[in-house]
C-alpha cells in the first residue's frame, strides 16, 4: 500500500472512530437507562392504578332533596335483598321473599310519586316457554317477573325504554353483586325520576326478572309474552361478573351507533371499550346476559353494562354486601340515572329502526374522557394514519440520506436490515410470554398469578420486554456503519415499529375488527412527534429528536397499559371458572404481551441511547428469574386464598339407576361427578384431607352411553364432559327424595309413528335426555320443534319458578316397520336437588375440602329408561 493510500485508510479509520466516539459521547450514562424504565413504571402506578379504582363520594339521605341518586337508601335496600339469602329460581326466597321486597319498594315509590308528572303501573307475572341455548333446549315454567312502567302524565307515545336486571341467584350465593346491586340501583333510579319535577318524553319500563342464572329464561318470557314488551324500543341491560367497582359498557347496538352518542353525552363516569365488546362476542368469556334475549327475540338495540372488578366472589358464597364499596353503588347509580334521563327524551326512541346504521368505535381514556366515532370513520382513520406513517417515514429516510450525504438506496438497505431485526423483536415480544404460559401450564404451574397480579409483570411483561430489546440491542452493539450515525439507526428501528403497527392496523381493519384502534393510537402520536421533528432541526441533531418522542408516548403508554390492565383484572378471575380443559394463562400472556408492545414498543429501543444498555436487559432478566422463583417455589405462586380468591369446586352427588326395557334395574351406582373449573383440576388437593382415591375420567363412558351415562347439569357440564371425573362411592347415595316419572300412555299417530306421553314431578331443576335407536327417529314432541334439527342425543334443561305443577310432555317415535313392541329409544331423567347438602356421608366428604375451596355441589338422582 502506498503512502497516499495508507494515509486515506488511516483517515477513514480515524473518522470512524471519531463518529463512534461522538455517538458514544451523545449517550447518557448507563444508570439513567434503568431510571428510564422505572419512570414509566411509576407513571403507571401513579396515574393508571388510582384512576382505575377511583370512585365517587357516596351520597346520603341529607342529599335527597337534590333529586340525585342516594347511595345510602340504595345500600339499605341492598342489605335487605342480600340478607334474604340464596334466591335460586323455584325457591321460596326467590319466588316469594324477593318478589315481595321489590313489590313493597314499588308501593313505596308509588306513595311519593309526583302524580302531576307521572303515572306508575306495576305487576307480577309468570311466564313459560322454551328456546335453544348452546347445546341444550332450555325449557321453563312459571318463572316470575316484576315489571314497572313509569309514564309521563301527558305522554303522546308508547315507545319505551327498557331497563333490566335480575334478582335470582346461582346456587350457594346471596348474590349481593350479581345482581342485587343492579336491582337496588334500578329501584333508586325509578324513585328519583318519579319524585323529580323533570318531564320525560318516553315511558320507562323497569324489568326485575326472576330467572336469569339458569339460562336467561325470564327475560325470554317477558320479551315474547308481555304486552308491554311490544313497545320497548331500546334497552339498558345491567348485570355483573364481579362485585364492586365501575360498571363497564361491553356491548352496544347492534348496528345502532346513536346509542354510543348518548352514552358520551350523558355518562358521568365513562368506562367502555369496543375491544371488550369484540372479546365478549368472540365467546371466550364464560358468561352471558339477558341482552342476548332482547336483541335476538325482540330485535331491541341497547347497551349492556356490568360490574367486572373482583370477579373472584362472582357466583360464590362470598358475594356479600361487605365486599361492595358504597362508592361503587354511587358510580353505577349516577351512570344509570343520567343515561335513563337522556334516553327518556331521545328522539331516536320514536323509531329506532330508522337509525340502524353500522357500528361505532368507542373507548374511554382512564375513565376521564370518552371517545367515539362511526365504524366508517374508524376505517378511514386507521388507513389514513397507516398511510401517513409510510409517507413520513419515507421523508425521514430521504432526510437521513441528504444529511449523511449517502444515496437513499444506501439508507433503505440498512432500513430493511433493521426492519427484519425489529420483526424478530416483535415476534419475540409476543412469543416469549406465550412460551412462558405454555411452559408453566405443562409443568402444572398454571394460574400462579391468580391471587398475585404483580407476578404478571415478572412472568409475562418482562419476557416481552426482553424479546423487544435483545435483538435490536445486539444489532447496535455489532453494527459498524460509519455513514449513518447511531441516532439515525435508532430512528430506523422506531420507524420499523411504526410500520409493523401500521400493517397490523390495516390488516385488523380489513378483517372487520374495530379493535384496530388500539394500534392506531400509538401510531398517531408517533407520527405527530416525527412530523414535528422533521419540521425542525431536531430530526438531525443527534438524539435530540428523542425528547419529543418520549413526550408523545405518554398518552399512548397510559392508555395501552390502562386497557390491558382492565382486561387482566377482569379476565384473571374468569380463569378460575373457564373449565379444566382451558389454558387461561395463554390469554393473560397474550394480553400482557400486547400491552407491553403497545406501551413500550417505541420506548424500549431508546435504551440504546444510553451507555451499556445490556445492564437494563440484565435487570429485566433478573426480575423474570425472581418471578419464576416466586411463582414456582413459594406460597406466593399458589393460586388460591381463602375468601378472597378461592378455588371453585363443582361436583354432583350422583345416584345412577339404569332400567332396562322389561323394567329391571341393571345398574345402581353412586359417586361424585367432578367438573373442575380451572386448569389445576384436582392437583391442589394433594396433601389435604380430601380423599380422591379412585378418581377416574368418564371419557370412555361417553363413547358407549347416552350423555356419558351421567346427569350432566347444563351446557357447561356438557361442554366439559371430556374432562369430567368420577369418584365412586361404596355407600349408596341417599337422595333427599324420589321423583315421580311415569309413562302415561302411548297412542298410535299412524302406522309408523307412536306418540308417548310422560309425566314428571320433580324439583325446580331437572334434565331429560333422549336418544333413539339406530333404526328409529324422533320426529316430533311437545317441546320446541325446531330443536329436533340438532344432533342427538337431545338435552332438555327444565326449570320451574313458582309454578311447580308436573311436567307433561309427549314424544313421537317413527319406525319404518311400525313395530313398537321392542326397544325404540332411551330416556334419561335427572332430578337436581340444588342447595341440598346431601346425606351424612356427602356432608362429611364436603367438610374435608381445604379452606380455599368454594364448593358448589348437591345430590342428583338420575334414572335411565328404555322404551
Amino acid at each position: 500500500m502506498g503512502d497516499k493510500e495508507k494515509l486515506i485508510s488511516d483517515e477513514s479509520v480515524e473518522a470512524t472512530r471519531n463518529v463512534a466516539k461522538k455517538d458514544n459521547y451523545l449517550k447518557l450514562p448507563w444508570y439513567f437507562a434503568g431510571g428510564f424504565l422505572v419512570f414509566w413504571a411509576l407513571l403507571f402506578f401513579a396515574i393508571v392504578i388510582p384512576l382505575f379504582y377511583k370512585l365517587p363520594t357516596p351520597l346520603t339521605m341529607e342529599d335527597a332533596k337534590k333529586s340525585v341518586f342516594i347511595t345510602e337508601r340504595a345500600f339499605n335496600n341492598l342489605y335487605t335483598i342480600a340478607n334474604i339469602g340464596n334466591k335460586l329460581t323455584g325457591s321460596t326466597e326467590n319466588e316469594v321473599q324477593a318478589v315481595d321486597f321489590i313489590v313493597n319498594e314499588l308501593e313505596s315509590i308509588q306513595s311519593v310519586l309526583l302524580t302531576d308528572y307521572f303515572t306508575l303501573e306495576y305487576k307480577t307475572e309468570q311466564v313459560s316457554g322454551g328456546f335453544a341455548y348452546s347445546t341444550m333446549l332450555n325449557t321453563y315454567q312459571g318463572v316470575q317477573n316484576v315489571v314497572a312502567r313509569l309514564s309521563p302524565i301527558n305522554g303522546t307515545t308508547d315507545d319505551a325504554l327498557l331497563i333490566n336486571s335480575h334478582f335470582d341467584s346461582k346456587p350457594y350465593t346471596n348474590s349481593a353483586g350479581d345482581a342485587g346491586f343492579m336491582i337496588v340501583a334500578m329501584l333508586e333510579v325509578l324513585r328519583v325520576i318519579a319524585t323529580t319535577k323533570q318531564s320525560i318524553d318516553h315511558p320507562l319500563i323497569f324489568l326485575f326478572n326472576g330467572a336469569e342464572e339458569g339460562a336467561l329464561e325470564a327475560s325470554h318470557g317477558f320479551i315474547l309474552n308481555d304486552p308491554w314488551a311490544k313497545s320497548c324500543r331500546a334497552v339498558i341491560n345491567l348485570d355483573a361478573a364481579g362485585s364492586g367497582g365501575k360498571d363497564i359498557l361491553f356491548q352496544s347496538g347492534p348496528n345502532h351507533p346513536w346509542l354510543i352518542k348518548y352514552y358520551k353525552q350523558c355518562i358521568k363516569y365513562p368506562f367502555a371499550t369496543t375491544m371488550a365488546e369484540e372479546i365478549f362476542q368472540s365467546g371466550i368469556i364464560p358468561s352471558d346476559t339477558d341482552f342476548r334475549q332482547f336483541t335476538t327475540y325482540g330485535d331491541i338495540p341497547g347497551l349492556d353494562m356490568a360490574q367486572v372488578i373482583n370477579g373472584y366472589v362472582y357466583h360464590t358464597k362470598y358475594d356479600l354486601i361487605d365486599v361492595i364499596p358504597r362508592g361503587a353503588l354511587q358510580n353505577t347509580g349516577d351512570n344509570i340515572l343520567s343515561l335513563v334521563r337522556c334516553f327518556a327524551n331521545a328522539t331516536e326512541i320514536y323509531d329506532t329502526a330508522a337509525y340502524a346504521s353500522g357500528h361505532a368505535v368507542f373507548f374511554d381514556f382512564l375513565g376521564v374522557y370518552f371517545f367515539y366515532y362511526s365504524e366508517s370513520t374508524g376505517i378511514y382513520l386507521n388507513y389514513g394514519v397507516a398511510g401517513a406513517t409510510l409517507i413520513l417515514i419515507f421523508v425521514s429516510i430521504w432526510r437521513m440520506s441528504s444529511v449523511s450525504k449517502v444515496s437513499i438506496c444506501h439508507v433503505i438497505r440498512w432500513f430493511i436490515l433493521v426492519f427484519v431485526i425489529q420483526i424478530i423483536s416483535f415476534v419475540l415480544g409476543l412469543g416469549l410470554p406465550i412460551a412462558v404460559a405454555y411452559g408453566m401450564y405443562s409443568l402444572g404451574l398454571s394460574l400462579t398469578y391468580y391471587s398475585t397480579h404483580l407476578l404478571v409483570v415478572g412472568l409475562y411483561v418482562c419476557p416481552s420486554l426482553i424479546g423487544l430489546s435483545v435483538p435490536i440491542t445486539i444489532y447496535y452493539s455489532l453494527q459498524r456503519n460509519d455513514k449513518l450515525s447511531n441516532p439515525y439507526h435508532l430512528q430506523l428501528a422506531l420507524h420499523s415499529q411504526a410500520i409493523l403497527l401500521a400493517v397490523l392496523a390495516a390488516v385488523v381493519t380489513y378483517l372487520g375488527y374495530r379493535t384496530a384502534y388500539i394500534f392506531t393510537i400509538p401510531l398517531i402520536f408517533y407520527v405527530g412527534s416525527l412530523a414535528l421533528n422533521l419540521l425542525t432541526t431536531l430530526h438531525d441533531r443527534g438524539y435530540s429528536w428523542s425528547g419529543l418522542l418520549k413526550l408523545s408516548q405518554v398518552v399512548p403508554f397510559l392508555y395501552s397499559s390502562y386497557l390491558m390492565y382492565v382486561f387482566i383484572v377482569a379476565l384473571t378471575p374468569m380463569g378460575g371458572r373457564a373449565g379444566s380443559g382451558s389454558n387461561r394463562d395463554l390469554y393473560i400472556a397474550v394480553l400482557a404481551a400486547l400491552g407491553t408492545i403497545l406501551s413500550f414498543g417505541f420506548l424500549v429501543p431508546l435504551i440504546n441511547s444510553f451507555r451499556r444498555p445490556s445492564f437494563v436487559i440484565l435487570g429485566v432478566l433478573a426480575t423474570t428469574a425472581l418471578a419464576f422463583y416466586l411463582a414456582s417455589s413459594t406460597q406466593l405462586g399458589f393460586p388460591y386464598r381463602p375468601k378472597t380468591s378461592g378455588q371453585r369446586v363443582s361436583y354432583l352427588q350422583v345416584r345412577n339407576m339404569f332400567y332396562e326395557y322389561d323394567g329391571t334395574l341393571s345398574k345402581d351406582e353412586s359417586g361424585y361427578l367432578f367438573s373442575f373449573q380451572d386448569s389445576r383440576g384436582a392437583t391442589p388437593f394433594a396433601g389435604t384431607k380430601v380423599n380422591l382415591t379412585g378418581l377416574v375420567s368418564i371419557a370412555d363412558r361417553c363413547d358407549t352411553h347416552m350423555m356419558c351415562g351421567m346427569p350432566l347439569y347444563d351446557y357447561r357440564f356438557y361442554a366439559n364432559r371430556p374432562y369430567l371425573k368420577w369418584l365412586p362411592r361404596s355407600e349408596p347415595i341417599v337422595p333427599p327424595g324420589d321423583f315421580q316419572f311415569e309413562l302415561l300412555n302411548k297412542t298410535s299417530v299412524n302406522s309408523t309413528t307412536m306418540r308417548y306421553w310422560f309425566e314428571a314431578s320433580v324439583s325446580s331443576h331437572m334434565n331429560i335426555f333422549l336418544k333413539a335407536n339406530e333404526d328409529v327417529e324422533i320426529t316430533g314432541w311437545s317441546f320446541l320443534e325446531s330443536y329436533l334439527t340438532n344432533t342427538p342425543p337431545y338435552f332438555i334443561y327444565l326449570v320451574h319458578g313458582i309454578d311447580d305443577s308436573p311436567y307433561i310432555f309427549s314424544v313421537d317415535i317413527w319406525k319404518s316397520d311400525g313395530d313398537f313392541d321392542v326397544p325404540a329409544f332411551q330416556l334419561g331423567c335427572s332430578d337436581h336437588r340444588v342447595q341440598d347438602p346431601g346425606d351424612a356421608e356427602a356432608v362429611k366428604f364436603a367438610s374435608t375440602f381445604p379452606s380455599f375451596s368454594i364448593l358448589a355441589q348437591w345430590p342428583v338422582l338420575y334414572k335411565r329408561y328404555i322404551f
Side-chain angles (χ1 to χ4, degrees):
M1 181 182 293
D3 292 340
K4 183 176 180 180
E5 291 173 330
K6 186 174 186 302
L7 179 61
I8 293 173
S9 175
D10 290 343
E11 287 176 349
S12 299
V13 171
E14 187 63 28
T16 301
R17 289 173 180 170
N18 289 338
V19 169
K21 288 179 181 179
K22 183 179 179 182
D23 285 339
N24 196 50
Y25 175 76
L26 292 172
K27 293 183 177 182
L28 290 171
W30 64 269
Y31 45 83
F32 280 100
F36 174 67
L37 287 183
V38 169
F39 166 78
W40 297 100
L42 291 177
L43 200 63
F44 174 77
F45 286 104
I47 296 178
V48 173
I49 297 296
L51 288 178
F52 177 71
Y53 291 104
K54 182 181 179 182
L55 295 170
T57 302
L59 299 181
T60 65
M61 292 301 295
E62 296 177 357
D63 304 296
K65 294 182 180 180
K66 300 176 183 178
S67 299
V68 291
F69 187 95
I70 303 300
T71 289
E72 183 180 358
R73 186 161 49 204
F75 208 79
N76 290 339
N77 280 338
L78 182 57
Y79 180 84
T80 301
I81 194 172
N83 280 350
I84 290 174
N86 180 263
K87 296 169 284 295
L88 186 73
T89 301
S91 67
T92 301
E93 290 82 0
N94 191 69
E95 308 305 330
V96 179
Q97 296 179 36
V99 170
D100 286 347
F101 162 76
I102 295 170
V103 170
N104 289 338
E105 284 303 306
L106 293 175
E107 289 175 352
S108 173
I109 295 170
Q110 177 84 71
S111 67
V112 294
L113 178 72
L114 292 179
T115 55
D116 292 341
Y117 285 80
F118 308 103
T119 60
L120 178 62
E121 307 167 77
Y122 52 88
K123 60 185 178 182
T124 302
E125 65 182 14
Q126 296 181 33
V127 290
S128 302
F131 57 95
Y133 186 81
S134 185
T135 52
M136 68 186 190
L137 174 59
N138 189 358
T139 303
Y140 57 96
Q141 171 182 291
V143 299
Q144 295 195 97
N145 291 317
V146 182
V147 195
R149 180 185 178 100
L150 184 72
S151 304
I153 197 69
N154 295 317
T156 58
T157 179
D158 285 334
D159 299 320
L161 172 69
L162 174 65
I163 305 98
N164 170 77
S165 193
H166 68 93
F167 56 84
D168 67 311
S169 307
K170 275 287 188 182
Y172 297 101
T173 174
N174 286 16
S175 59
D178 180 30
F181 182 99
M182 294 301 188
I183 291 293
V184 300
M186 286 170 57
L187 286 168
E188 180 62 14
V189 166
L190 175 56
R191 181 187 294 272
V192 173
I193 294 176
T195 57
T196 301
K197 295 178 180 180
Q198 183 175 330
S199 62
I200 58 176
D201 293 336
H202 300 283
L204 304 174
I205 296 176
F206 290 80
L207 172 59
F208 307 88
N209 86 70
E212 187 267 357
E213 294 293 7
L216 320 177
E217 295 93 355
S219 57
H220 179 266
F222 168 81
I223 208 65
L224 289 184
N225 300 300
D226 193 298
W228 288 352
K230 296 178 176 59
S231 64
C232 295
R233 299 292 175 263
V235 61
I236 298 175
N237 187 63
L238 306 169
D239 212 322
S243 189
K246 298 179 179 180
D247 43 276
I248 188 171
L249 170 63
F250 65 99
Q251 288 194 99
S252 69
N255 296 316
H256 284 263
W258 63 271
L259 293 161
I260 301 299
K261 177 188 72 173
Y262 281 100
Y263 184 89
K264 175 180 173 58
Q265 290 177 1
C266 308
I267 201 72
K268 292 194 69 173
Y269 312 110
F271 186 34
T273 169
T274 294
M275 187 175 175
E277 180 173 89
E278 293 189 330
I279 286 178
F280 185 86
Q281 293 175 355
S282 72
I284 69 172
I285 305 296
S287 292
D288 205 349
T289 75
D290 289 315
F291 190 73
R292 170 197 288 270
Q293 309 294 57
F294 301 129
T295 57
T296 302
Y297 296 99
D299 196 24
I300 303 173
L303 304 177
D304 201 5
M305 302 167 64
Q307 296 275 307
V308 293
I309 297 175
N310 195 15
Y312 297 107
V313 303
Y314 171 71
H315 286 176
T316 75
K317 63 183 178 180
Y318 299 115
D319 184 7
L320 303 170
I321 194 171
D322 301 344
V323 302
I324 299 175
R326 295 192 176 216
L329 194 50
Q330 189 69 53
N331 186 96
T332 297
D334 286 347
N335 278 345
I336 298 172
L337 179 59
S338 59
L339 284 175
V340 169
R341 278 179 165 160
C342 279
F343 283 121
N345 295 294
T347 56
E348 290 85 350
I349 299 291
Y350 289 107
D351 184 13
T352 54
Y355 296 91
S357 58
H359 297 282
V361 180
F362 56 89
F363 55 93
D364 73 287
F365 178 72
L366 305 178
V368 176
Y369 193 77
F370 183 76
F371 296 87
Y372 96 97
Y373 43 87
S374 67
E375 184 177 19
S376 58
T377 299
I379 292 172
Y380 292 134
L381 179 64
N382 296 339
Y383 286 144
V385 171
T389 300
L390 297 178
I391 292 171
L392 287 177
I393 287 175
F394 178 79
V395 173
S396 174
I397 290 174
W398 175 79
R399 278 275 289 272
M400 290 179 189
S401 69
S402 176
V403 172
S404 302
K405 302 187 185 315
V406 296
S407 70
I408 194 169
C409 291
H410 178 86
V411 180
I412 289 175
R413 283 196 297 269
W414 280 97
F415 175 65
I416 291 173
L417 175 61
V418 174
F419 183 68
V420 171
I421 292 170
Q422 192 63 27
I423 290 176
I424 296 171
S425 298
F426 190 94
V427 171
L428 288 176
L430 185 61
L432 286 180
I434 293 174
V436 170
Y438 274 116
M440 298 291 280
Y441 180 80
S442 301
L443 294 172
L445 294 173
S446 59
L447 300 176
T448 53
Y449 54 85
Y450 189 70
S451 294
T452 311
H453 287 170
L454 202 59
L455 282 177
V456 171
V457 175
L459 293 175
Y460 302 129
V461 173
C462 286
S464 183
L465 288 173
I466 292 170
L468 289 174
S469 58
V470 168
I472 206 73
T473 300
I474 291 174
Y475 165 75
Y476 285 122
S477 66
L478 297 179
Q479 76 88 16
R480 292 291 182 270
N481 181 2
D482 60 326
K483 296 180 180 179
L484 283 179
S485 65
N486 273 343
Y488 277 162
H489 274 282
L490 199 52
Q491 286 196 64
L492 292 179
L494 298 176
H495 293 347
S496 301
Q497 174 71 8
I499 289 179
L500 286 173
L501 290 185
V503 170
L504 277 173
V507 169
V508 175
T509 300
Y510 176 77
L511 293 175
Y513 294 103
R514 288 165 287 145
T515 299
Y517 83 89
I518 67 174
F519 304 111
T520 302
I521 289 176
L523 265 184
I524 289 174
F525 286 88
Y526 179 75
V527 167
S529 67
L530 178 57
L532 289 174
N533 280 320
L534 286 170
L535 289 172
T536 64
T537 58
L538 296 176
H539 179 272
D540 310 305
R541 293 172 57 189
Y543 293 103
S544 299
W545 51 265
S546 66
L548 272 178
L549 172 68
K550 294 170 187 175
L551 189 62
S552 74
Q553 288 304 299
V554 170
V555 170
F557 170 83
L558 291 175
Y559 180 71
S560 298
S561 59
Y562 163 77
L563 182 64
M564 295 310 156
Y565 183 76
V566 167
F567 284 110
I568 288 172
V569 167
L571 294 183
T572 294
M574 294 181 187
R577 55 186 177 87
S580 55
S582 175
N583 180 8
R584 287 287 158 156
D585 289 34
L586 183 61
Y587 294 95
I588 301 301
V590 169
L591 285 171
L594 185 60
T596 304
I597 290 170
L598 294 176
S599 302
F600 287 99
F602 290 114
L603 298 173
V604 166
L606 294 180
I607 64 172
N608 291 282
S609 64
F610 302 93
R611 299 170 194 168
R612 299 181 181 177
S614 58
F615 281 17
V616 176
I617 298 174
L618 290 175
V620 175
L621 186 61
T623 304
T624 301
L626 177 62
F628 273 112
Y629 170 74
L630 294 175
S632 61
S633 304
T634 72
Q635 189 63 24
L636 199 66
F638 186 71
Y640 316 111
R641 305 289 184 271
K643 297 184 180 181
T644 57
S645 51
Q647 183 191 24
R648 298 166 187 264
V649 182
S650 177
Y651 67 92
L652 303 175
Q653 309 164 26
V654 175
R655 178 78 173 269
N656 284 329
M657 304 178 75
F658 286 17
Y659 293 90
E660 299 305 315
Y661 182 70
D662 61 3
T664 59
L665 181 64
S666 61
K667 177 186 283 189
D668 186 353
E669 66 174 350
S670 295
Y672 303 113
L673 180 64
F674 283 86
S675 178
F676 291 110
Q677 299 296 291
D678 65 47
S679 52
R680 288 256 175 164
T683 55
F685 304 127
T688 68
K689 296 179 181 179
V690 185
N691 184 2
L692 296 179
T693 303
L695 187 71
V696 295
S697 170
I698 69 163
D700 58 336
R701 296 191 183 204
C702 298
D703 297 329
T704 57
H705 291 79
M706 175 180 65
M707 290 295 180
C708 308
M710 291 290 172
L712 308 180
Y713 176 59
D714 59 11
Y715 68 95
R716 291 187 177 91
F717 265 79
Y718 180 81
N720 201 37
R721 66 192 184 284
Y723 308 100
L724 298 180
K725 306 293 183 182
W726 174 253
L727 181 65
R729 194 177 107 168
S730 57
E731 182 180 340
I733 285 174
V734 181
D738 196 1
F739 63 84
Q740 302 299 315
F741 182 84
E742 62 177 319
L743 172 64
L744 295 178
N745 60 67
K746 59 181 184 178
T747 58
S748 177
V749 177
N750 54 50
S751 61
T752 57
T753 304
M754 185 71 71
R755 178 167 294 161
Y756 294 74
W757 284 94
F758 299 96
E759 179 178 335
S761 298
V762 294
S763 60
S764 60
H765 293 71
M766 69 170 288
N767 305 124
I768 293 175
F769 306 142
L770 282 165
K771 182 181 180 182
N773 291 351
E774 290 184 4
D775 59 340
V776 179
E777 290 183 23
I778 299 174
T779 57
W781 57 13
S782 56
F783 300 115
L784 187 69
E785 286 281 348
S786 59
Y787 181 74
L788 286 173
T789 58
N790 285 36
T791 302
Y794 299 116
F795 185 169
I796 306 161
Y797 177 86
L798 299 104
V799 58
H800 74 68
I802 197 167
D803 179 4
D804 60 355
S805 57
Y807 293 103
I808 298 176
F809 62 94
S810 66
V811 180
D812 293 348
I813 302 297
W814 175 88
K815 285 189 68 180
S816 59
D817 60 7
D819 181 7
F820 293 98
D821 292 326
V822 295
F825 65 99
Q826 299 179 58
L827 187 151
C829 184
S830 59
D831 179 23
H832 291 262
R833 297 301 176 106
V834 184
Q835 295 287 113
D836 194 293
D839 58 26
E841 182 67 22
V843 171
K844 181 180 178 181
F845 178 70
S847 69
T848 63
F849 283 86
S851 60
F852 60 75
S853 296
I854 304 174
L855 305 186
Q857 51 88 31
W858 56 81
V860 51
L861 177 59
Y862 176 55
K863 295 182 179 181
R864 190 224 59 185
Y865 302 92
I866 296 179
F867 295 100

